Amino acid sequence: MSAEQTKQTGAKKSGGLFRRGPWEMAMTVLIGVGILMLVQPFAISLYTYSFLTILIGTLGFVVVSHFPE
């Protein structure tokens, strides 16, 4: 096995927790939940925290987009 193959294999194994795909999906879902909280007519407490939820999801997405694939 060459050094280049070892380097590629090691990069794939070490990125387990910090892989971009699942985290991007989670942040996208969080943004969607925040939007649903914003437009629902039932609970004022959900509406109150909707902006914070959208903000956390957006900032999280920006951070997560820098994770390795």
Side-chain angles (χ1 to χ4, degrees):
M1 190 183 305
S2 71
E4 184 64 30
Q5 289 174 337
T6 304
K7 192 183 296 183
Q8 289 175 353
T9 305
K12 287 181 182 177
K13 288 182 181 177
S14 67
L17 182 60
F18 296 107
R19 286 185 40 231
R20 183 186 307 178
W23 284 104
E24 277 186 350
M25 182 61 66
M27 292 301 117
T28 304
V29 167
L30 188 62
I31 293 168
V33 167
I35 292 172
L36 289 175
M37 289 167 62
L38 183 67
V39 299
Q40 59 81 32
F42 303 114
I44 192 68
S45 61
L46 292 178
Y47 178 78
T48 302
Y49 291 106
S50 65
F51 177 74
L52 184 62
T53 305
I54 294 170
L55 181 64
I56 290 170
T58 303
L59 293 176
F61 189 88
V62 169
V63 169
V64 165
S65 69
H66 292 88
F67 285 0
E69 288 189 38

